[in-house]
PDB file of all heavy atoms in Angstrom:
ATOM      1  N   TRP Z  92     170.376  69.920 133.552  1.00  0.00           N
ATOM      2  CA  TRP Z  92     168.932  69.825 133.253  1.00  0.00           C
ATOM      3  C   TRP Z  92     168.276  71.206 133.352  1.00  0.00           C
ATOM      4  O   TRP Z  92     167.520  71.660 132.455  1.00  0.00           O
ATOM      5  CB  TRP Z  92     168.297  68.811 134.189  1.00  0.00           C
ATOM      6  CG  TRP Z  92     166.791  68.812 134.243  1.00  0.00           C
ATOM      7  CD1 TRP Z  92     165.985  68.718 133.133  1.00  0.00           C
ATOM      8  CD2 TRP Z  92     165.976  68.856 135.386  1.00  0.00           C
ATOM      9  NE1 TRP Z  92     164.650  68.709 133.578  1.00  0.00           N
ATOM     10  CE2 TRP Z  92     164.641  68.813 134.938  1.00  0.00           C
ATOM     11  CE3 TRP Z  92     166.228  68.943 136.736  1.00  0.00           C
ATOM     12  CZ2 TRP Z  92     163.560  68.841 135.836  1.00  0.00           C
ATOM     13  CZ3 TRP Z  92     165.183  68.921 137.640  1.00  0.00           C
ATOM     14  CH2 TRP Z  92     163.822  68.894 137.151  1.00  0.00           C
ATOM     15  N   ARG Z  93     168.473  71.903 134.476  1.00  0.00           N
ATOM     16  CA  ARG Z  93     167.873  73.214 134.644  1.00  0.00           C
ATOM     17  C   ARG Z  93     168.403  74.223 133.619  1.00  0.00           C
ATOM     18  O   ARG Z  93     167.615  75.052 133.158  1.00  0.00           O
ATOM     19  CB  ARG Z  93     168.092  73.729 136.066  1.00  0.00           C
ATOM     20  CG  ARG Z  93     167.396  72.925 137.166  1.00  0.00           C
ATOM     21  CD  ARG Z  93     165.901  72.925 136.971  1.00  0.00           C
ATOM     22  NE  ARG Z  93     165.200  72.408 138.172  1.00  0.00           N
ATOM     23  CZ  ARG Z  93     163.925  72.087 138.194  1.00  0.00           C
ATOM     24  NH1 ARG Z  93     163.160  72.199 137.107  1.00  0.00           N
ATOM     25  NH2 ARG Z  93     163.345  71.684 139.299  1.00  0.00           N
ATOM     26  N   ARG Z  94     169.646  74.134 133.284  1.00  0.00           N
ATOM     27  CA  ARG Z  94     170.230  75.048 132.292  1.00  0.00           C
ATOM     28  C   ARG Z  94     169.476  74.883 130.983  1.00  0.00           C
ATOM     29  O   ARG Z  94     169.144  75.830 130.295  1.00  0.00           O
ATOM     30  CB  ARG Z  94     171.721  74.752 132.166  1.00  0.00           C
ATOM     31  CG  ARG Z  94     172.515  75.826 131.478  1.00  0.00           C
ATOM     32  CD  ARG Z  94     173.956  75.465 131.394  1.00  0.00           C
ATOM     33  NE  ARG Z  94     174.686  75.580 132.661  1.00  0.00           N
ATOM     34  CZ  ARG Z  94     175.248  74.631 133.311  1.00  0.00           C
ATOM     35  NH1 ARG Z  94     175.241  73.340 132.811  1.00  0.00           N
ATOM     36  NH2 ARG Z  94     175.877  74.809 134.477  1.00  0.00           N
ATOM     37  N   MET Z  95     169.250  73.588 130.570  1.00  0.00           N
ATOM     38  CA  MET Z  95     168.536  73.298 129.309  1.00  0.00           C
ATOM     39  C   MET Z  95     167.105  73.735 129.413  1.00  0.00           C
ATOM     40  O   MET Z  95     166.479  74.056 128.381  1.00  0.00           O
ATOM     41  CB  MET Z  95     168.638  71.795 129.016  1.00  0.00           C
ATOM     42  CG  MET Z  95     170.074  71.364 128.682  1.00  0.00           C
ATOM     43  SD  MET Z  95     170.214  69.570 128.357  1.00  0.00           S
ATOM     44  CE  MET Z  95     169.524  69.481 126.694  1.00  0.00           C
ATOM     45  N   GLN Z  96     166.543  73.759 130.584  1.00  0.00           N
ATOM     46  CA  GLN Z  96     165.145  74.228 130.760  1.00  0.00           C
ATOM     47  C   GLN Z  96     165.017  75.715 130.668  1.00  0.00           C
ATOM     48  O   GLN Z  96     163.911  76.244 130.694  1.00  0.00           O
ATOM     49  CB  GLN Z  96     164.549  73.717 132.098  1.00  0.00           C
ATOM     50  CG  GLN Z  96     164.182  72.274 132.159  1.00  0.00           C
ATOM     51  CD  GLN Z  96     163.476  71.953 133.432  1.00  0.00           C
ATOM     52  OE1 GLN Z  96     163.864  72.399 134.529  1.00  0.00           O
ATOM     53  NE2 GLN Z  96     162.370  71.139 133.332  1.00  0.00           N
ATOM     54  N   GLY Z  97     166.142  76.416 130.609  1.00  0.00           N
ATOM     55  CA  GLY Z  97     166.094  77.868 130.499  1.00  0.00           C
ATOM     56  C   GLY Z  97     166.334  78.660 131.756  1.00  0.00           C
ATOM     57  O   GLY Z  97     166.238  79.870 131.795  1.00  0.00           O
ATOM     58  N   TYR Z  98     166.589  77.938 132.893  1.00  0.00           N
ATOM     59  CA  TYR Z  98     166.902  78.629 134.098  1.00  0.00           C
ATOM     60  C   TYR Z  98     168.294  79.315 134.011  1.00  0.00           C
ATOM     61  O   TYR Z  98     169.216  78.789 133.358  1.00  0.00           O
ATOM     62  CB  TYR Z  98     166.958  77.659 135.283  1.00  0.00           C
ATOM     63  CG  TYR Z  98     165.606  77.160 135.725  1.00  0.00           C
ATOM     64  CD1 TYR Z  98     164.930  76.155 135.024  1.00  0.00           C
ATOM     65  CD2 TYR Z  98     164.988  77.619 136.925  1.00  0.00           C
ATOM     66  CE1 TYR Z  98     163.729  75.657 135.435  1.00  0.00           C
ATOM     67  CE2 TYR Z  98     163.788  77.153 137.360  1.00  0.00           C
ATOM     68  CZ  TYR Z  98     163.110  76.146 136.610  1.00  0.00           C
ATOM     69  OH  TYR Z  98     161.925  75.702 137.045  1.00  0.00           O
ATOM     70  N   ASN Z  99     168.414  80.413 134.710  1.00  0.00           N
ATOM     71  CA  ASN Z  99     169.725  81.061 134.829  1.00  0.00           C
ATOM     72  C   ASN Z  99     170.437  80.279 135.915  1.00  0.00           C
ATOM     73  O   ASN Z  99     170.181  80.498 137.102  1.00  0.00           O
ATOM     74  CB  ASN Z  99     169.572  82.536 135.189  1.00  0.00           C
ATOM     75  CG  ASN Z  99     170.884  83.308 135.040  1.00  0.00           C
ATOM     76  OD1 ASN Z  99     171.933  82.741 134.702  1.00  0.00           O
ATOM     77  ND2 ASN Z  99     170.816  84.585 135.316  1.00  0.00           N
ATOM     78  N   THR Z 100     171.331  79.399 135.502  1.00  0.00           N
ATOM     79  CA  THR Z 100     171.841  78.398 136.386  1.00  0.00           C
ATOM     80  C   THR Z 100     173.223  78.727 136.925  1.00  0.00           C
ATOM     81  O   THR Z 100     174.126  79.035 136.162  1.00  0.00           O
ATOM     82  CB  THR Z 100     171.924  76.984 135.626  1.00  0.00           C
ATOM     83  OG1 THR Z 100     170.557  76.661 135.277  1.00  0.00           O
ATOM     84  CG2 THR Z 100     172.491  75.948 136.536  1.00  0.00           C
ATOM     85  N   LEU Z 101     173.367  78.703 138.230  1.00  0.00           N
ATOM     86  CA  LEU Z 101     174.678  78.856 138.898  1.00  0.00           C
ATOM     87  C   LEU Z 101     174.954  77.615 139.748  1.00  0.00           C
ATOM     88  O   LEU Z 101     174.215  77.332 140.684  1.00  0.00           O
ATOM     89  CB  LEU Z 101     174.666  80.120 139.800  1.00  0.00           C
ATOM     90  CG  LEU Z 101     175.897  80.279 140.659  1.00  0.00           C
ATOM     91  CD1 LEU Z 101     177.178  80.420 139.844  1.00  0.00           C
ATOM     92  CD2 LEU Z 101     175.698  81.437 141.644  1.00  0.00           C
ATOM     93  N   TRP Z 102     176.033  76.953 139.405  1.00  0.00           N
ATOM     94  CA  TRP Z 102     176.548  75.869 140.244  1.00  0.00           C
ATOM     95  C   TRP Z 102     177.887  76.366 140.707  1.00  0.00           C
ATOM     96  O   TRP Z 102     178.842  76.459 139.945  1.00  0.00           O
ATOM     97  CB  TRP Z 102     176.627  74.533 139.513  1.00  0.00           C
ATOM     98  CG  TRP Z 102     177.186  73.419 140.360  1.00  0.00           C
ATOM     99  CD1 TRP Z 102     177.232  73.365 141.727  1.00  0.00           C
ATOM    100  CD2 TRP Z 102     177.668  72.190 139.887  1.00  0.00           C
ATOM    101  NE1 TRP Z 102     177.712  72.165 142.147  1.00  0.00           N
ATOM    102  CE2 TRP Z 102     178.068  71.450 141.048  1.00  0.00           C
ATOM    103  CE3 TRP Z 102     177.894  71.600 138.627  1.00  0.00           C
ATOM    104  CZ2 TRP Z 102     178.629  70.182 140.934  1.00  0.00           C
ATOM    105  CZ3 TRP Z 102     178.492  70.395 138.524  1.00  0.00           C
ATOM    106  CH2 TRP Z 102     178.798  69.652 139.680  1.00  0.00           C
ATOM    107  N   LEU Z 103     177.986  76.716 141.968  1.00  0.00           N
ATOM    108  CA  LEU Z 103     179.127  77.419 142.531  1.00  0.00           C
ATOM    109  C   LEU Z 103     180.085  76.451 143.223  1.00  0.00           C
ATOM    110  O   LEU Z 103     179.679  75.761 144.159  1.00  0.00           O
ATOM    111  CB  LEU Z 103     178.670  78.481 143.498  1.00  0.00           C
ATOM    112  CG  LEU Z 103     179.679  79.576 143.878  1.00  0.00           C
ATOM    113  CD1 LEU Z 103     178.922  80.878 144.185  1.00  0.00           C
ATOM    114  CD2 LEU Z 103     180.527  79.144 145.053  1.00  0.00           C
ATOM    115  N   PRO Z 104     181.338  76.321 142.674  1.00  0.00           N
ATOM    116  CA  PRO Z 104     182.273  75.401 143.263  1.00  0.00           C
ATOM    117  C   PRO Z 104     183.202  76.037 144.279  1.00  0.00           C
ATOM    118  O   PRO Z 104     183.243  77.266 144.428  1.00  0.00           O
ATOM    119  CB  PRO Z 104     183.095  74.949 142.038  1.00  0.00           C
ATOM    120  CG  PRO Z 104     183.135  76.226 141.250  1.00  0.00           C
ATOM    121  CD  PRO Z 104     181.892  76.978 141.486  1.00  0.00           C
ATOM    122  N   GLY Z 105     183.937  75.180 145.027  1.00  0.00           N
ATOM    123  CA  GLY Z 105     184.933  75.725 145.971  1.00  0.00           C
ATOM    124  C   GLY Z 105     185.463  74.571 146.817  1.00  0.00           C
ATOM    125  O   GLY Z 105     185.034  73.406 146.720  1.00  0.00           O
ATOM    126  N   THR Z 106     186.449  74.917 147.646  1.00  0.00           N
ATOM    127  CA  THR Z 106     187.084  73.959 148.519  1.00  0.00           C
ATOM    128  C   THR Z 106     187.126  74.453 149.962  1.00  0.00           C
ATOM    129  O   THR Z 106     187.018  75.678 150.212  1.00  0.00           O
ATOM    130  CB  THR Z 106     188.512  73.616 148.055  1.00  0.00           C
ATOM    131  OG1 THR Z 106     189.219  74.889 147.855  1.00  0.00           O
ATOM    132  CG2 THR Z 106     188.541  72.838 146.749  1.00  0.00           C
ATOM    133  N   ASP Z 107     187.305  73.516 150.873  1.00  0.00           N
ATOM    134  CA  ASP Z 107     187.321  73.826 152.295  1.00  0.00           C
ATOM    135  C   ASP Z 107     188.756  73.722 152.796  1.00  0.00           C
ATOM    136  O   ASP Z 107     189.513  72.842 152.393  1.00  0.00           O
ATOM    137  CB  ASP Z 107     186.453  72.811 153.054  1.00  0.00           C
ATOM    138  CG  ASP Z 107     186.174  73.223 154.485  1.00  0.00           C
ATOM    139  OD1 ASP Z 107     187.131  73.085 155.284  1.00  0.00           O
ATOM    140  OD2 ASP Z 107     185.063  73.582 154.786  1.00  0.00           O
ATOM    141  N   HIS Z 108     189.098  74.690 153.693  1.00  0.00           N
ATOM    142  CA  HIS Z 108     190.498  74.697 154.189  1.00  0.00           C
ATOM    143  C   HIS Z 108     190.845  73.481 155.062  1.00  0.00           C
ATOM    144  O   HIS Z 108     192.012  73.188 155.265  1.00  0.00           O
ATOM    145  CB  HIS Z 108     190.767  75.986 154.910  1.00  0.00           C
ATOM    146  CG  HIS Z 108     190.016  76.187 156.186  1.00  0.00           C
ATOM    147  ND1 HIS Z 108     188.703  76.662 156.196  1.00  0.00           N
ATOM    148  CD2 HIS Z 108     190.332  75.949 157.479  1.00  0.00           C
ATOM    149  CE1 HIS Z 108     188.299  76.771 157.477  1.00  0.00           C
ATOM    150  NE2 HIS Z 108     189.252  76.311 158.277  1.00  0.00           N
ATOM    151  N   ALA Z 109     189.813  72.848 155.641  1.00  0.00           N
ATOM    152  CA  ALA Z 109     190.010  71.543 156.357  1.00  0.00           C
ATOM    153  C   ALA Z 109     191.090  71.637 157.425  1.00  0.00           C
ATOM    154  O   ALA Z 109     192.140  71.026 157.271  1.00  0.00           O
ATOM    155  CB  ALA Z 109     190.298  70.448 155.301  1.00  0.00           C
ATOM    156  N   GLY Z 110     190.811  72.419 158.459  1.00  0.00           N
ATOM    157  CA  GLY Z 110     191.802  72.739 159.487  1.00  0.00           C
ATOM    158  C   GLY Z 110     192.684  71.625 159.927  1.00  0.00           C
ATOM    159  O   GLY Z 110     193.916  71.614 159.668  1.00  0.00           O
ATOM    160  N   ILE Z 111     192.138  70.612 160.609  1.00  0.00           N
ATOM    161  CA  ILE Z 111     192.925  69.541 161.181  1.00  0.00           C
ATOM    162  C   ILE Z 111     193.601  68.728 160.102  1.00  0.00           C
ATOM    163  O   ILE Z 111     194.822  68.449 160.176  1.00  0.00           O
ATOM    164  CB  ILE Z 111     192.067  68.598 162.050  1.00  0.00           C
ATOM    165  CG1 ILE Z 111     191.521  69.333 163.298  1.00  0.00           C
ATOM    166  CG2 ILE Z 111     192.888  67.383 162.492  1.00  0.00           C
ATOM    167  CD1 ILE Z 111     190.595  68.531 164.151  1.00  0.00           C
ATOM    168  N   ALA Z 112     192.880  68.401 159.053  1.00  0.00           N
ATOM    169  CA  ALA Z 112     193.459  67.489 158.015  1.00  0.00           C
ATOM    170  C   ALA Z 112     194.599  68.178 157.283  1.00  0.00           C
ATOM    171  O   ALA Z 112     195.661  67.565 157.013  1.00  0.00           O
ATOM    172  CB  ALA Z 112     192.340  67.142 156.983  1.00  0.00           C
ATOM    173  N   THR Z 113     194.437  69.475 156.946  1.00  0.00           N
ATOM    174  CA  THR Z 113     195.488  70.187 156.215  1.00  0.00           C
ATOM    175  C   THR Z 113     196.749  70.378 157.095  1.00  0.00           C
ATOM    176  O   THR Z 113     197.854  70.196 156.681  1.00  0.00           O
ATOM    177  CB  THR Z 113     194.955  71.533 155.704  1.00  0.00           C
ATOM    178  OG1 THR Z 113     193.784  71.286 154.887  1.00  0.00           O
ATOM    179  CG2 THR Z 113     196.032  72.239 154.856  1.00  0.00           C
ATOM    180  N   GLN Z 114     196.502  70.841 158.303  1.00  0.00           N
ATOM    181  CA  GLN Z 114     197.625  71.022 159.224  1.00  0.00           C
ATOM    182  C   GLN Z 114     198.409  69.725 159.402  1.00  0.00           C
ATOM    183  O   GLN Z 114     199.642  69.727 159.440  1.00  0.00           O
ATOM    184  CB  GLN Z 114     197.142  71.556 160.567  1.00  0.00           C
ATOM    185  CG  GLN Z 114     198.302  71.764 161.524  1.00  0.00           C
ATOM    186  CD  GLN Z 114     197.905  72.716 162.715  1.00  0.00           C
ATOM    187  OE1 GLN Z 114     197.273  73.748 162.498  1.00  0.00           O
ATOM    188  NE2 GLN Z 114     198.291  72.352 163.921  1.00  0.00           N
ATOM    189  N   ALA Z 115     197.712  68.640 159.498  1.00  0.00           N
ATOM    190  CA  ALA Z 115     198.385  67.349 159.709  1.00  0.00           C
ATOM    191  C   ALA Z 115     199.232  66.981 158.510  1.00  0.00           C
ATOM    192  O   ALA Z 115     200.361  66.459 158.634  1.00  0.00           O
ATOM    193  CB  ALA Z 115     197.313  66.262 159.963  1.00  0.00           C
ATOM    194  N   LYS Z 116     198.709  67.224 157.259  1.00  0.00           N
ATOM    195  CA  LYS Z 116     199.424  67.023 156.031  1.00  0.00           C
ATOM    196  C   LYS Z 116     200.779  67.753 156.023  1.00  0.00           C
ATOM    197  O   LYS Z 116     201.871  67.231 155.717  1.00  0.00           O
ATOM    198  CB  LYS Z 116     198.642  67.365 154.848  1.00  0.00           C
ATOM    199  CG  LYS Z 116     197.460  66.421 154.517  1.00  0.00           C
ATOM    200  CD  LYS Z 116     197.938  65.289 153.656  1.00  0.00           C
ATOM    201  CE  LYS Z 116     196.736  64.433 153.197  1.00  0.00           C
ATOM    202  NZ  LYS Z 116     197.129  63.277 152.453  1.00  0.00           N
ATOM    203  N   VAL Z 117     200.696  69.054 156.350  1.00  0.00           N
ATOM    204  CA  VAL Z 117     201.921  69.916 156.346  1.00  0.00           C
ATOM    205  C   VAL Z 117     202.867  69.488 157.421  1.00  0.00           C
ATOM    206  O   VAL Z 117     204.105  69.454 157.251  1.00  0.00           O
ATOM    207  CB  VAL Z 117     201.531  71.407 156.407  1.00  0.00           C
ATOM    208  CG1 VAL Z 117     202.725  72.254 156.422  1.00  0.00           C
ATOM    209  CG2 VAL Z 117     200.605  71.716 155.244  1.00  0.00           C
ATOM    210  N   GLU Z 118     202.331  69.140 158.609  1.00  0.00           N
ATOM    211  CA  GLU Z 118     203.257  68.740 159.677  1.00  0.00           C
ATOM    212  C   GLU Z 118     203.958  67.416 159.296  1.00  0.00           C
ATOM    213  O   GLU Z 118     205.117  67.236 159.666  1.00  0.00           O
ATOM    214  CB  GLU Z 118     202.413  68.531 161.016  1.00  0.00           C
ATOM    215  CG  GLU Z 118     201.991  69.815 161.635  1.00  0.00           C
ATOM    216  CD  GLU Z 118     201.609  69.709 163.075  1.00  0.00           C
ATOM    217  OE1 GLU Z 118     202.448  69.497 163.919  1.00  0.00           O
ATOM    218  OE2 GLU Z 118     200.363  69.802 163.295  1.00  0.00           O
ATOM    219  N   GLU Z 119     203.246  66.516 158.596  1.00  0.00           N
ATOM    220  CA  GLU Z 119     203.917  65.309 158.105  1.00  0.00           C
ATOM    221  C   GLU Z 119     205.058  65.621 157.177  1.00  0.00           C
ATOM    222  O   GLU Z 119     206.141  64.989 157.212  1.00  0.00           O
ATOM    223  CB  GLU Z 119     202.871  64.392 157.385  1.00  0.00           C
ATOM    224  CG  GLU Z 119     201.927  63.660 158.338  1.00  0.00           C
ATOM    225  CD  GLU Z 119     200.767  62.964 157.544  1.00  0.00           C
ATOM    226  OE1 GLU Z 119     200.947  62.840 156.318  1.00  0.00           O
ATOM    227  OE2 GLU Z 119     199.783  62.602 158.164  1.00  0.00           O
ATOM    228  N   ALA Z 120     204.840  66.592 156.290  1.00  0.00           N
ATOM    229  CA  ALA Z 120     205.870  66.981 155.344  1.00  0.00           C
ATOM    230  C   ALA Z 120     207.079  67.612 156.093  1.00  0.00           C
ATOM    231  O   ALA Z 120     208.201  67.405 155.723  1.00  0.00           O
ATOM    232  CB  ALA Z 120     205.341  67.998 154.329  1.00  0.00           C
ATOM    233  N   LEU Z 121     206.791  68.388 157.157  1.00  0.00           N
ATOM    234  CA  LEU Z 121     207.845  68.981 157.940  1.00  0.00           C
ATOM    235  C   LEU Z 121     208.693  67.915 158.661  1.00  0.00           C
ATOM    236  O   LEU Z 121     209.903  68.059 158.750  1.00  0.00           O
ATOM    237  CB  LEU Z 121     207.264  69.970 159.004  1.00  0.00           C
ATOM    238  CG  LEU Z 121     206.697  71.286 158.495  1.00  0.00           C
ATOM    239  CD1 LEU Z 121     206.062  72.062 159.660  1.00  0.00           C
ATOM    240  CD2 LEU Z 121     207.837  72.092 157.845  1.00  0.00           C
TER     241      LEU Z 121
END
Side-chain angles (χ1 to χ4, degrees):
W92 168 50
R93 291 302 192 191
R94 195 180 287 120
M95 292 177 78
Q96 282 189 318
Y98 287 78
N99 193 358
T100 299
L101 170 63
W102 181 18
L103 197 151
T106 50
D107 192 287
H108 65 276
I111 294 176
T113 304
Q114 179 161 315
K116 288 273 187 184
V117 178
E118 288 196 72
E119 285 172 14
L121 286 176

